[in-house]
Amino acid sequence: MLASLLCWWVVRDHPGESASSREAVANGSGQASAAPAFTQVLGGAAAVLKNAHTWPPFLTMFCLYSASANLTLWMVPFLRDVYGLTTPQAAIYATASSLAILVFGPLTGYVSDRVLERRRPLYVGLCWGSLVLWATFLLTLGGLPLWGVYTLYFAMGMMGSAFVLTWPIGREVNPPQFAGLSVAVVNFGGLFGAAATQWPVGTVLDARWAGALAGGARVYPLSAYAAAFGVCGLFILAAALVALLVRETRCQNIYAMLYPDSRPSGPHRT
């Protein structure tokens, strides 16, 4: 509730509602801009989706998040069923990837923005690094000691922080006035992937269930997890390949360079 109240107080609906804009309007030195209509938002989203350069970051995000979301979903049952941990114990080990992303997500953005001043090399490198770690995870599945599982899972979170670069990449290949929409569209790729792939991955697990139950919950054999996580590994392979199609932006909006004959489609930043 506190966060909601802070949002209501701080977050503005459109540029015309900022304090500086209101002051400029009051002084007669500025002009308030109206919030975009819903039809304008839909038109902007359509323009972003029509841009061929939107789709590589969209699909990379789809694949990265599909893999990580399903691994997160099944990591606790995996540790419980294969390593014999209790659910609370397994949950502690399952935090490894999230902790890594909390640290390396912002660091990835900083390195891209301030150190390399590039997007593509870091994005592609992290995606291919993820592929190597996922291959290691699949080849050693069930054979590593618990400290090895935690270390590997933490490293997978480090490489998985590539997804944070999807947002600026999507923004920087689209019209500047659609900056927010561009981020929303490529981000939706990840959300859609996480939602759309849970049923297929769960179906792979269920197909290999041997009938064992514990406390009313299904207990899956190692072979079932190997098959399900193997599907996730294919998502990571696809992400690494599609990431190669991402355009380098040098941390600048390059839409005008990509489409030199384009014209601004509206005055509103959405």
Side-chain angles (χ1 to χ4, degrees):
M1 290 186 65
L2 177 60
S4 299
L5 289 173
L6 285 173
C7 287
W8 177 79
W9 181 49
V10 175
V11 177
R12 52 192 169 85
D13 287 335
H14 56 87
E17 288 194 356
S18 68
S20 58
S21 296
R22 288 196 299 269
E23 183 178 352
V25 171
N27 295 333
S29 59
Q31 182 178 0
S33 59
F38 183 63
T39 54
Q40 290 178 294
V41 175
L42 290 179
V48 171
L49 289 170
K50 288 179 182 177
N51 182 358
H53 298 285
T54 299
W55 288 98
F58 179 97
L59 293 174
T60 303
M61 185 71 160
F62 177 98
C63 295
L64 288 176
Y65 229 64
S66 295
S68 64
N70 280 286
L71 181 59
T72 300
L73 180 65
W74 291 105
M75 193 63 178
V76 170
F78 165 72
L79 292 171
R80 182 196 63 207
D81 295 346
V82 175
Y83 283 88
L85 300 182
T86 65
T87 298
Q89 289 172 332
I92 293 174
Y93 283 93
T95 62
S97 182
S98 298
L99 290 174
I101 290 174
L102 283 173
V103 175
F104 287 93
L107 183 60
T108 296
Y110 177 82
V111 171
S112 175
D113 288 344
R114 307 297 183 186
V115 179
L116 298 177
E117 296 184 352
R118 299 287 190 276
R119 303 290 187 211
R120 191 174 182 273
L122 188 57
Y123 195 56
V124 171
L126 289 174
C127 287
W128 282 89
S130 291
L131 181 61
V132 171
L133 291 178
W134 267 87
T136 304
F137 176 68
L138 292 171
L139 291 173
T140 60
L141 196 68
L144 290 176
L146 283 171
W147 67 264
V149 174
Y150 188 92
T151 302
L152 181 57
Y153 195 34
F154 186 89
M156 292 166 73
M158 291 171 53
M159 295 294 128
S161 64
F163 80 90
V164 303
L165 297 181
T166 305
W167 305 321
I169 290 172
R171 183 183 70 243
E172 290 163 358
V173 296
N174 277 289
Q177 67 267 27
F178 296 141
L181 276 172
S182 304
V183 172
V185 167
V186 295
N187 187 63
F188 178 73
L191 300 178
F192 179 64
T197 59
Q198 288 183 22
W199 176 79
V201 172
T203 300
V204 171
L205 270 169
D206 285 340
R208 289 158 178 79
W209 177 51
L213 294 170
R218 293 187 175 189
V219 176
Y220 296 98
L222 178 61
S223 59
Y225 287 108
F229 292 154
V231 174
C232 296
L234 292 177
F235 287 135
I236 295 295
L237 172 61
L241 293 173
V242 176
L244 295 173
L245 303 177
V246 166
R247 290 296 300 259
E248 176 58 68
T249 67
R250 295 180 179 270
C251 304
Q252 302 292 327
N253 189 288
I254 61 170
Y255 181 77
M257 183 190 74
L258 296 173
Y259 300 98
D261 296 330
S262 64
R263 293 292 184 270
S265 56
H268 299 291
R269 180 177 293 275
T270 307

